Amino acid sequence: MRYHLTPARMAAINKSSNNKRWRGCGEKGTLVHCWWECRLVQPLWKSLWCFLKKQGDDDIRCLSMLGHFGFECLPHQLVNRSIQQGFSFNILCVGETGLGKSTLMDTLFNTNLKEKESSHFLSNVELKIQTYELKENNVQLKLTVVNTVGYGDQMNKEASYEPIIGYLDAQFEAYFQEELKIKRSFVDYHDSRIHVCLYFISPTGHSLKALDLLTLKNIDNKVNIIPVIAKADTISKNDIQTFKCKIMNELTSNGIHIYQFPTDDKTTAEVNSSMNEHLPFAVVGCMEEVKVGKRMVRGRQYPWGVLQVDNESHCDFVKLRDMLLCTNTENLKEQTHTQHYERYRRFKLQKIGFTDVGPDNQPMSFQEIYEAKRREFYSQCQREEEELKNKFMQRVKEKEITFKDAEKEQDKFEHLKRIQQEEMIKLEEEKRHLEEEIIIFYKMKAGCEILQSQGLTNVKKDKDRKK
């Protein structure tokens, strides 16, 4: 690995003794600028220097920066670009009906997302998808909230998690198909992959339900899971701590992996490490304001006092909000892309037949794999074509034999038909002769009757004469 410093602009230097930084304001001099004075660039240079030192390569050229080059403004460019494009964040809320999922979303973003109440009498689990455009101090956020409707309300709960898995895979597949396009448009593409799943646990105080374990086990490799204890104001503080320990022990014993806040960043390592110890978060959602002393706060009024939502000593809502929206939003999106989506993408490509190594366990490029698959597909097509040709010729031969047998039968039929026609002609001749003989017979009969009648008449006349 080599790093080279390539000049991008040329400048005429007339005053070589002037070491002041030059910004093109009319003064000509050497391009010397101690850029360690820029606080934005110092972390970047420190990270780069540590990376170069770890490489341990003798061929690396280590250059000392002697002037101002202008890339100290790169962070500002990234910030401006991000503000112009806006941000997106997708949340999946999984939990039984009535645990306050919609209320917590309203409290989390301090707005009314206007979701209707869900019914307890649905035959199947459904997913309700709502997308909102939020804005805070010129920062735009495209928020997508996916809520499970009817989860845990059926008598048979074995297939309650299947619609959730189907939705998660469908979003991965949509992004995967967009990646495979020749002309991709990720700038305008709305990434609908779920970045975090808030799993709402019923505040029983005992243990996780079988449905909870079944669902978490099936989705932990597809989404970042942050478990939360819903309606934590129904349990005492001591019981909440005991309940948290039971939940974490059950998750560990069942091999369920939940999202752990990253501790590799020095700026957030201490906070995230302490927050990992508070999982699962015991939260309470409420948009109503009550008066405490001389100020109005969000909370719930009880006969024994007021539960303040934004008070960390009352519940973990502030911890959840800070970890979710203020500290680890980008890490959640990065984990979704680099771990969960990459796992799905690797599975799909392996299913198609693409791998990183060849039959001899040697690395292969995508082009080589494509050519190999193309040759394999071509040979397979040829084999199938030969098989189809052989089947076609076999069918043709069978049809020819059938046609020949049919022709023989046709000849027999024609022969029998000719014989029948000849017999019919003979019968018609015999019938004609018989009809002629019948006519002659009737004529002879009529003549005989006439003669007989005449003879009888003559006999009578003779008798009359004799008398």
Side-chain angles (χ1 to χ4, degrees), residues 23-290:
R23 292 186 178 271
C25 299
E27 182 182 1
K28 297 181 180 179
T30 57
L31 302 179
V32 179
H33 172 54
C34 185
W35 59 303
W36 279 97
E37 298 176 0
C38 180
R39 295 182 179 178
L40 294 175
V41 182
Q42 287 179 10
L44 175 64
W45 176 244
K46 287 181 179 179
S47 300
L48 179 60
W49 179 252
C50 293
F51 172 74
L52 294 177
K53 288 180 67 177
K54 289 180 181 179
Q55 297 301 314
D57 194 345
D58 297 334
D59 296 333
I60 296 177
R61 297 177 60 189
C62 299
L63 303 177
S64 59
M65 309 302 295
L66 301 176
H68 170 70
F69 294 94
F71 56 80
E72 64 180 14
C73 299
L74 285 176
H76 298 290
Q77 296 179 27
L78 293 176
V79 170
N80 293 333
R81 182 180 178 184
S82 299
I83 291 176
Q84 290 177 1
Q85 293 180 351
F87 300 88
S88 63
F89 196 55
N90 305 323
I91 302 177
L92 171 64
C93 297
V94 181
E96 298 178 2
T97 307
L99 288 181
K101 300 185 293 294
S102 301
T103 305
L104 183 63
M105 289 296 102
D106 293 344
T107 311
L108 196 63
F109 295 96
N110 197 22
T111 184
N112 186 8
L113 300 181
K114 298 180 180 179
E115 290 192 10
K116 297 180 180 179
E117 294 184 0
S118 302
S119 173
H120 286 268
F121 304 101
L122 296 178
S123 58
N124 297 313
V125 178
E126 299 178 359
L127 296 177
K128 184 166 61 175
I129 306 167
Q130 296 287 342
T131 302
Y132 309 93
E133 296 284 349
L134 306 179
K135 189 173 182 180
E136 182 183 17
N137 294 333
N138 294 327
V139 177
Q140 295 182 351
L141 175 65
K142 191 171 187 178
L143 174 67
T144 300
V145 178
V146 182
N147 197 357
T148 54
V149 181
Y151 179 81
D153 293 338
Q154 295 76 28
M155 294 295 293
N156 186 4
K157 302 178 177 61
E158 292 183 358
S160 297
Y161 65 90
E162 292 181 355
I164 302 172
I165 293 180
Y167 179 80
L168 294 173
D169 288 340
Q171 310 319 304
F172 285 150
E173 181 65 23
Y175 192 88
F176 180 70
Q177 293 298 328
E178 185 67 24
E179 270 192 339
L180 294 179
K181 288 182 179 179
I182 297 177
K183 186 179 180 181
R184 299 183 294 183
S185 58
F186 281 115
V187 177
D188 300 328
Y189 178 75
H190 174 55
D191 186 5
S192 58
R193 295 174 298 177
I194 297 299
H195 301 133
V196 63
C197 170
L198 297 180
Y199 194 89
F200 289 74
I201 301 171
S202 180
T204 59
H206 302 291
S207 61
L208 292 173
K209 299 180 180 179
L211 177 61
D212 299 330
L213 295 173
L214 182 64
T215 303
L216 291 171
K217 185 64 177 177
N218 283 276
I219 68 173
D220 65 345
N221 62 343
K222 298 178 182 295
V223 66
N224 302 313
I225 301 174
I226 297 180
V228 295
I229 301 174
K231 296 185 176 181
D233 52 344
T234 60
I235 313 177
S236 64
K237 287 186 177 182
N238 295 331
D239 293 338
I240 285 180
Q241 296 302 323
T242 305
F243 192 32
K244 285 185 177 183
C245 294
K246 289 182 179 179
I247 291 173
M248 295 304 295
N249 291 333
E250 282 190 89
L251 294 177
T252 304
S253 61
N254 287 276
I256 298 172
H257 303 283
I258 62 174
Y259 176 74
Q260 294 291 323
F261 302 113
T263 57
D264 52 354
D265 188 359
K266 294 181 180 180
T267 59
T268 60
E270 185 177 356
V271 177
N272 286 343
S273 179
S274 63
M275 289 298 106
N276 285 328
E277 299 176 357
H278 286 82
L279 289 173
F281 293 122
V283 297
V284 178
C286 181
M287 289 295 292
E288 299 178 359
E289 290 187 349
V290 295

Side-chain angles (χ1 to χ4, degrees), residues 277 324 436:
E277 299 176 357
L324 199 63
E436 291 178 354

